[in-house]
Amino acid sequence: MDVLRRAWAGVCANRGAPGVDGMTVDAVAASGVDVFLQDLSERLRTYTYRPSALRRVQIPKPGRPGESRPLSIPTVADRVVMTAAKLVLEPVFEAQFTEASYGFRPQRSAIDACEAVRVAANQRREWVFEADIRDCFGTIDHDALMAQVARHVVDRPMLKLIRAWLRMGVLEGGVTSPTGAGTPQGSPISPLLANIALHVLDEVWQDEGRRLGVLVRYCDDFVVLSPTRQRAERARELAARVLGRLGMRLHPEKSGITCLTRGGQGFDFLGFHHRKVESWKWRGRFYLQRWPSARAIRVLREKIRAATGRSKTERPVSAVVADLNPVLRGWGAYFRNGNSGRKFNAVDGYVHERLAILISRKHGRAGRNWATRYTYEWITRLGVYRLTGNVRRATAHASR
C-alpha cells in the first residue's frame, strides 16, 4: 500500500486527462482515495487486475504545423499501477544503466547531456552523427524488450504485468485496435521501458563503439561525437545494426553526419543549436557553444503572438502579462544554460514589440509607438519577465 500511495501522489501531481473510463483524478479523490487504493491492492494481490484499453488522441507537434503525434492515455487506475511498478523497477535498472544515458533518469537532465556533448566536442571530436529513430516508442519489439527486462527481473507476476501493458489495446474513433509493437507513449512507465530497450545500444557502445566516438543519449535522441568522418560513418552503421535488433530504424532523412571544424556546421540536439565558435581570447581556437535552436525560437514566438493577438485587445494588460510571464520564465529557465544572450535579447525585443502593438490597437493608435510612448520604462513598469541577464554560460574549455 505504501508504494501505491506514493504512486497515487505522483499521478495527482501530474494530473493528466482521463482514460477510456472517463474517470479523472479529481473524481477518484472525491469518491475516496483509500477505497480506490485498497481495491487496486486487492486486485493486484489476487492477480485479478487487468489493464484497460488506452485512449488514443493526436496532439500537434510544436513548431511543425500540420504534424501531430499519437498520445495513448491510460486510465487513472492503470497510471497508478504503472507508476508503482516504475518505483519498484527503476532502482533495479538504474544500477545497470551507463553514463551515456541521460533521459528520464534520477539526478540527470537534458542540460547534463548537452554538457557531455560540449566536453566531447572540445576534445577534438569534430564529426557528429545525429541520430533520429523513426517512431521509437511505437516500434520497439515486444519480445526484444521483454528479454532485456527478464535479464534483471525474475518475478513472474511483474513480467506478466509488463507484458499486459505492452499488449493493451488502443481505443480511437470508437474502435479498439491491438498493439503489436511499441510502448504506450503517454504512460508513466514508457520512458523507463524505452531506456531498458535502448540500454542494448549503450552496452554495445561500451565495447564495439568505444573506439568510434562518444555516445550521448537522451532516451530516443542521441548523438555520437567522433574524431574522423570514417568513424562517424561506422558509428552510424553500428547504431543501425543494433537498433534493427530492437525493431527500430533510423530515419534516413533526419539522421546525418555533421562536421564541426572551425564552426562550418552545427547541429540541433535537445532544443539547442550546437556550433563551434572562435574564442575571443585565443584567436584560431574554436569551442562548442549552444543557444536556442531556430525551431525553439519559432515555437516561443508563436506562443507570444497567440498571447498578444488581436483577440486579446479586450483583456486588461495585466492579464496578458500574467499569461506571458510563466511562458517566458519556463522557456528561459531551460535555455539560460548556455550561450543564449543574443537570442534572449531578441526575444525580449519581440515581446516588447508585440505588447506595444497590442496596446496601440487597444487605444486606436497606429503603429507600434514603442520609441515614444511604450518605451523600455513602460514595459518595465508592466512587470514583464525579461530574459536578458539570466544566462548561465558554460565554460569554453574542453574539460569540466
Side-chain angles (χ1 to χ4, degrees):
M1 278 293 290
D2 288 343
V3 176
L4 285 177
R5 288 189 185 281
R6 288 176 57 197
W8 166 253
V11 172
C12 283
N14 291 330
R15 309 300 294 175
V20 293
D21 60 358
M23 184 70 73
T24 64
V25 170
D26 290 337
V28 173
S31 61
V33 175
D34 288 340
V35 175
F36 172 76
L37 295 180
Q38 284 286 358
D39 177 62
L40 267 184
S41 178
E42 181 65 18
R43 285 192 282 157
L44 289 168
R45 189 182 64 82
T46 58
Y47 305 112
T48 57
Y49 163 79
R50 298 291 183 272
S52 303
L54 300 159
R55 184 168 69 89
R56 174 67 57 82
V57 295
Q58 300 291 334
I59 60 174
K61 289 187 176 180
R64 296 181 181 178
E67 293 187 37
S68 63
R69 65 182 179 90
L71 191 67
S72 302
I73 304 174
T75 63
V76 174
D78 289 337
R79 293 208 294 270
V80 171
V81 180
M82 288 175 177
T83 303
K86 177 177 175 288
L87 291 172
V88 173
L89 294 173
E90 193 170 59
V92 175
F93 288 97
E94 271 297 313
Q96 316 300 324
F97 289 159
T98 72
E99 290 295 310
S101 171
Y102 291 86
F104 304 104
R105 295 184 59 189
Q107 309 301 318
R108 301 201 129 204
S109 68
I111 299 302
D112 294 332
C114 289
E115 275 297 286
V117 168
R118 182 187 64 82
V119 171
N122 288 343
Q123 292 174 339
R124 299 184 180 181
R125 295 180 178 89
E126 302 286 344
W127 294 88
V128 181
F129 163 50
E130 308 168 61
D132 186 286
I133 303 176
R134 176 177 282 172
D135 189 17
C136 171
F137 282 88
T139 58
I140 296 175
D141 182 85
H142 288 174
D143 291 334
L145 171 58
M146 289 306 301
Q148 293 303 311
V149 174
R151 287 173 60 188
H152 305 289
V153 177
V154 296
D155 184 66
R156 289 181 62 82
M158 178 65 79
L159 293 173
K160 288 182 178 180
L161 200 57
I162 296 172
R163 176 75 74 172
W165 287 330
L166 294 176
R167 291 175 173 172
M168 295 164 74
V170 175
L171 178 65
E172 186 174 18
V175 178
T176 302
S177 306
T179 51
T183 64
Q185 189 171 3
S187 74
I189 202 169
S190 284
L192 175 60
L193 295 179
N195 269 336
I196 292 170
L198 290 169
H199 178 62
V200 176
L201 179 68
D202 303 341
E203 287 184 312
V204 169
W205 228 264
Q206 285 189 317
D207 184 19
E208 294 179 63
R210 185 183 295 273
R211 294 183 180 181
L212 302 181
V214 174
L215 170 69
V216 179
R217 183 176 67 80
Y218 191 90
C219 201
D220 58 327
D221 290 334
F222 69 91
V223 294
V224 178
L225 297 100
S226 303
T228 66
R229 183 179 184 90
Q230 290 73 21
R231 293 191 189 184
E233 293 282 3
R234 288 167 58 194
R236 174 161 56 184
E237 294 169 3
L238 178 59
R241 190 163 66 248
V242 174
L243 292 173
R245 301 206 303 259
L246 299 170
M248 299 181 235
R249 290 188 301 159
L250 291 171
H251 199 299
E253 297 175 0
K254 296 181 180 179
S255 301
I257 293 175
T258 300
C259 179
L260 299 176
T261 304
R262 301 185 69 84
Q265 293 178 305
F267 64 98
D268 292 349
F269 182 56
L270 300 179
F272 285 94
H273 181 72
H274 303 253
R275 185 182 289 265
K276 287 201 168 183
V277 175
E278 187 176 15
S279 170
W280 62 270
K281 188 173 183 180
W282 296 291
R283 291 300 178 186
R285 297 186 186 182
F286 287 76
Y287 296 100
L288 194 73
Q289 294 188 2
R290 64 178 182 267
W291 50 84
S293 66
R295 182 185 172 193
I297 293 286
R298 185 169 63 252
V299 171
L300 179 63
R301 285 173 66 97
E302 288 173 358
K303 291 181 179 179
I304 295 169
R305 193 174 187 87
T308 58
R310 288 180 180 273
S311 63
K312 309 298 180 181
T313 54
E314 300 301 321
R315 300 190 68 202
V317 181
S318 59
V320 174
V321 172
D323 289 344
L324 267 179
N325 278 348
V327 174
L328 296 172
R329 190 174 286 110
W331 193 86
Y334 179 72
F335 287 106
R336 68 185 297 188
N337 299 281
N339 310 88
S340 307
R342 291 184 180 179
K343 300 298 183 183
F344 277 18
N345 290 340
V347 170
D348 283 342
Y350 184 66
V351 171
H352 187 172
E353 178 185 19
R354 290 298 305 172
L355 284 172
I357 292 173
L358 176 68
I359 304 306
S360 293
R361 284 174 178 163
K362 189 178 184 71
H363 296 290
R365 299 186 180 101
R368 291 167 174 76
N369 298 290
W370 59 349
T372 57
R373 187 183 297 270
Y374 305 122
T375 60
Y376 175 83
E377 289 74 18
W378 167 79
I379 200 168
T380 301
R381 288 196 303 271
L382 286 179
V384 177
Y385 181 79
R386 296 187 65 81
L387 299 174
T388 302
N390 287 310
V391 174
R392 291 179 180 173
R393 295 182 182 275
T395 59
H397 307 292
S399 59
R400 292 183 190 270

